Amino acid sequence: MTTAEPAQPSPAQALRRRSFLRGAGLGTALGAGALAGAFAAAGAADADTDSGGADRAGPSGRVVPFHGPHQAGITTPQQAAAGFVSFTVTAPDQAGLRQLFEILTDRVRRLTAGGPVPATDLASPPTDSATLGPVPPADGLTVTVGVGASLFDARYGLADRKPAKLVPMPAFPDDDLVGSTELHGDLSLQLCADSRDTVMHALRDITRHTRGLMQPSWKVDGFHSAPRPTGTPRNQLGFKDGIANPDTGDAKTADALIWTHGGANGEPAWVEGGSYQVIRIIRMLIEFWDRVSLHEQETMIGRRRDSGAPLDGTAETDLPNYPGDPQGLIIPMNAHIRLANPRTPDTFDQQILRRGYNYERGLDLDGNLDVGLVFCCYQQDVARQFQAVQQRLAGEPLVDYISPTGGGYFFALPGVTGPTDHYASALLA
């Protein structure tokens, strides 16, 4: 008795499959991590959510509220897993763009709530991938939608509605962007959840439902390490990362540093409640870093590696005393923390909310580990805040051990306020 050979597809079936695959190959570009804080952060606590960075055996039932004046995933405490994806919008006209945002809103609203999916008869494709089981949990999922400067070109008639500070991300002096395909994009998604498979499930669902209206160009995945032993988590250089974030639990601070305000500083009215997002991919050259003495590492950063304390303190929560060290004898003048945040009255409004993730991408062609930081930050004014910090960091000693390789500026849209609202409703009004 012989084993039957698998049935071969007919020429027509094969053609349809090849056509589908060709259609799936269209592209775009997103952006990723910045030197401005090669030390990404745990966001400040959001009153509507609890922290969810711990390792988990499976998806959680935690639900992060979807509706509100601001999108979730900005001040939400960082989840364990993240994916950053850039898209080229392929909608044919403004009506198609509106349809894209309406579909995107519906999918994210459903995915972040969790729960049963519509039943499928045996003759039809399933309505869900079932990678999270028959009833997908919410699992702390947030999806943060941003738009890039290129969305405001001539295609959709939106040029006069572009956010005032939204431009393509420039190349900074210490960047390595030549030949990079991971730059910019029409639209970005930041997907975060308590489990890695929940991030992938959400992305798979969204791309399925928006096919023909937008196409992914590239993505990078990240993970948020657990605190070891306590306090702020560490990055791939071994240092605690994100100690000095502004307190976004304070409404006055958030309004001054994070959220955009319609009609202020030349902004169009529709941007109320949004935020500028910077994404940068920062590779960390750990083979070289691991050969540097501990003293030199700590001097470059300005903090103790074991405790995270500033070099003039004893605990990570201690504030560095720069006025008491005006010549940089304890914390050097070119230490990363001193350049990034000088803590002067003049630089208060330059603070950024860092929300980055570690990444690991295997080996490069030379057999070196490709690891680093997906740097992400939010702010009210990308020029006043991120770029000002980045300019101070140019040429710092740390640049010999990190290599920013891609990224982009995006504008995180205002939140979806209720069941009848959708992403970009004010922009397209």
Side-chain angles (χ1 to χ4, degrees):
M1 181 175 179
T2 59
T3 302
E5 292 292 328
Q8 297 297 314
S10 70
Q13 289 174 321
L15 179 60
R16 285 196 296 272
R17 293 174 188 175
R18 287 196 296 272
S19 299
F20 177 87
L21 291 173
R22 280 199 301 271
L26 303 177
T28 15
L30 163 118
L35 176 57
F39 298 83
D46 184 341
D48 291 331
T49 63
D50 52 27
S51 61
D55 293 337
R56 297 180 184 275
S60 73
R62 188 168 70 96
V63 177
V64 178
F66 173 69
H67 295 127
H70 314 296
Q71 287 194 73
I74 299 176
T75 60
T76 306
Q78 283 184 258
Q79 301 96 318
F84 297 84
V85 193
S86 175
F87 296 80
T88 294
V89 174
T90 57
D93 49 29
Q94 191 176 121
L97 182 64
R98 182 186 301 276
Q99 181 187 16
L100 168 62
F101 283 120
E102 289 175 347
I103 293 172
L104 193 56
T105 304
D106 178 67
R107 299 320 303 167
V108 176
R109 184 185 281 123
R110 291 170 182 266
L111 290 163
T112 55
V117 298
T120 309
D121 64 76
L122 295 178
S124 302
T127 56
D128 185 77
S129 66
T131 56
L132 298 183
V135 181
D139 198 31
L141 176 68
T142 60
V143 180
T144 308
V145 180
V147 292
S150 56
L151 190 70
F152 296 86
D153 59 17
R155 287 173 292 169
Y156 303 115
L158 301 175
D160 61 343
R161 305 181 203 179
K162 185 165 71 72
K165 306 298 182 181
L166 186 60
V167 297
M169 188 188 74
F172 294 97
D174 302 308
D175 287 356
D176 185 18
L177 305 182
V178 176
S180 175
T181 59
E182 298 178 315
L183 287 170
H184 317 309
D186 291 338
L187 187 145
S188 72
L189 297 183
Q190 173 197 274
L191 305 100
C192 302
D194 294 338
S195 305
R196 173 73 199 113
D197 55 354
T198 300
V199 172
M200 190 62 225
H201 173 269
L203 179 60
R204 183 171 170 180
D205 181 280
I206 288 169
T207 56
R208 172 183 176 177
H209 285 87
T210 57
R211 184 177 174 80
L213 297 173
M214 69 176 186
Q215 290 289 342
S217 171
W218 61 272
K219 77 182 184 79
V220 58
D221 299 320
F223 60 92
H224 193 229
S225 300
R228 294 184 173 92
T230 58
T232 304
R234 298 176 186 271
N235 60 30
Q236 302 278 31
L237 298 181
F239 282 77
K240 294 191 174 188
D241 191 326
I243 294 171
N245 256 348
D247 178 12
T248 57
D250 177 72
K252 184 177 180 180
T253 298
D255 281 342
L257 297 177
I258 309 302
W259 309 123
T260 51
H261 302 292
N265 302 314
E267 295 286 7
W270 73 266
V271 307
E272 183 69 32
S275 186
Y276 286 94
Q277 178 195 54
V278 175
I279 307 173
R280 306 246 303 159
I281 301 175
I282 305 176
R283 183 173 179 182
M284 295 179 171
L285 309 177
I286 58 172
E287 285 82 3
F288 298 101
W289 179 257
D290 290 344
R291 298 171 188 160
V292 177
S293 71
L294 178 60
H295 172 74
E296 188 175 352
Q297 289 183 4
E298 293 183 336
T299 299
M300 278 190 271
I301 302 302
R303 292 187 181 274
R304 302 292 180 198
R305 191 173 73 164
D306 57 356
S307 66
L311 296 181
D312 60 0
T314 59
E316 68 174 75
T317 53
D318 290 343
L319 298 181
N321 182 14
Y322 298 145
D325 182 26
Q327 296 179 314
L329 300 179
I330 302 174
I331 300 178
M333 303 302 290
N334 62 357
H336 181 82
I337 66 168
R338 192 160 190 160
L339 292 173
N341 185 3
R343 297 177 182 274
T344 65
D346 291 340
T347 59
F348 171 82
D349 68 352
Q350 296 174 3
Q351 295 179 81
I352 56 178
L353 175 63
R354 293 170 291 158
R355 201 176 192 278
Y357 283 81
N358 293 327
Y359 79 78
E360 187 275 316
R361 290 175 134 183
L363 303 175
D364 66 14
L365 295 177
D366 296 320
N368 295 315
L369 292 169
D370 186 354
V371 303
L373 177 71
V374 187
F375 173 89
C376 177
C377 72
Y378 292 92
Q379 56 262 289
Q380 184 182 89
D381 183 330
V382 71
R384 185 190 83 213
Q385 294 168 267
F386 170 76
Q387 287 188 187
V389 174
Q390 188 71 15
Q391 289 161 4
R392 284 197 299 270
L393 290 168
E396 65 166 326
L398 193 61
V399 301
D400 290 337
Y401 304 95
I402 61 176
S403 179
T405 61
Y409 290 171
F410 298 91
F411 181 75
L413 297 168
V416 177
T417 58
T420 61
D421 192 17
H422 63 80
Y423 291 123
S425 59
L427 166 63
L428 299 174

